[in-house]
Amino acid sequence: MRSYIVLNIELSAIESFLKMTIDSANKEYRKIKKQSEAGAFPHYDDEANAYFVPEMWEEIALKSTLGELNALVEWELQNLAGKAFHENNIKTKSKRSRELFDLKFGEIIKLIQGYYKINIEDIESCADVKRIRDKVNAFKHRKGYKDMRRDTYTSIPEQHEVSRTEGFESIKAVRTFIKDIWAKTKEA
């Protein structure tokens, strides 16, 4: 059983990291702007190149935020599936040695839904959690490019983007999702 205190500590650390990185990037942006106004960049490409590094700090921090949020959700879902998994293993007396952590995400969801008699789609912020998961997988497996088989496009190829607003909203969405699933499964 997890606690709201631990959840809030974990999410606060993720949020603090994101804020710190964005603040550092903002300081660097202001510094570059002052340099530009003082004529430090003889060519506009030089100024654009100067912005590249703090822009990457921000992008990496946003991707890391989504990755950590996704990992937290997956951990919580695995924990919720634990009882059902172990009860199924006892009932079936499976000779095949398989651990909870070997299960695919879809299998974990089915275990939770069957054991607790809930539909994950009914959990508040579920759509946001799915969006986070899709983006994290795109960053991990396709360098952020959308999946032509599943995603909608305005142009091909098209990458997923993340914004500051989305980063902070994702933290709130994960908090809401986990609290709601705990309430529906009585795990908090």
Side-chain angles (χ1 to χ4, degrees):
M1 184 180 296
R2 298 287 307 242
S3 79
Y4 291 122
I5 294 170
V6 173
L7 174 66
N8 285 326
I9 289 170
E10 290 180 56
L11 291 173
S12 293
I14 293 168
E15 186 173 28
S16 174
F17 165 75
L18 183 58
K19 283 180 184 176
M20 179 197 67
T21 306
I22 287 172
D23 287 347
S24 294
N26 284 339
K27 287 177 189 172
E28 195 66 17
Y29 294 147
R30 287 190 295 273
K31 179 178 153 188
I32 293 165
K33 185 177 180 187
K34 283 183 183 179
Q35 290 173 333
S36 177
E37 290 168 351
F41 303 111
H43 192 270
Y44 69 90
D45 276 347
D46 296 330
E47 182 178 352
N49 290 338
Y51 280 107
F52 178 77
V53 170
E55 287 170 350
M56 289 305 299
W57 295 345
E58 192 170 331
E59 183 178 331
I60 291 167
L62 287 164
K63 289 177 182 178
S64 296
T65 295
L66 295 184
E68 287 298 313
L69 293 172
N70 186 61
L72 180 60
V73 167
E74 287 185 2
W75 178 255
E76 292 301 331
L77 292 175
Q78 284 178 338
N79 284 328
L80 286 174
K83 288 180 187 176
F85 178 77
H86 294 297
E87 284 181 18
N88 283 349
N89 278 353
I90 291 168
K91 286 178 190 172
T92 60
K93 296 183 179 154
S94 176
K95 292 178 183 174
R96 196 171 124 207
S97 178
R98 192 169 182 206
E99 296 299 323
L100 176 62
F101 302 109
D102 295 329
L103 299 180
K104 293 182 180 181
F105 189 75
E107 293 173 297
I108 289 170
I109 297 301
K110 284 180 184 177
L111 279 171
I112 292 169
Q113 291 183 145
Y115 186 81
Y116 293 102
K117 307 296 185 228
I118 62 170
N119 182 354
I120 295 291
E121 300 291 326
D122 294 337
I123 302 297
E124 193 173 345
S125 295
C126 182
D128 296 318
V129 167
K130 282 183 171 184
R131 177 189 42 78
I132 292 166
R133 181 174 169 74
D134 289 343
K135 285 189 175 192
V136 167
N137 283 327
F139 296 137
K140 184 169 63 173
H141 299 294
R142 298 183 304 279
K143 199 159 175 78
Y145 286 97
K146 292 184 176 182
D147 187 334
M148 294 190 324
R149 298 164 294 172
R150 291 188 295 246
D151 298 326
T152 56
Y153 281 87
T154 55
S155 66
I156 296 179
E158 186 175 356
Q159 284 186 296
H160 287 282
E161 294 185 18
V162 288
S163 68
R164 292 175 175 190
T165 301
E166 180 184 2
F168 291 110
E169 286 175 356
S170 295
I171 294 166
K172 290 177 188 171
V174 165
R175 178 179 279 114
T176 299
F177 176 83
I178 292 173
K179 284 182 174 183
D180 194 36
I181 199 165
W182 282 351
K184 286 185 176 18
T185 60
K186 308 290 188 266
E187 287 296 317

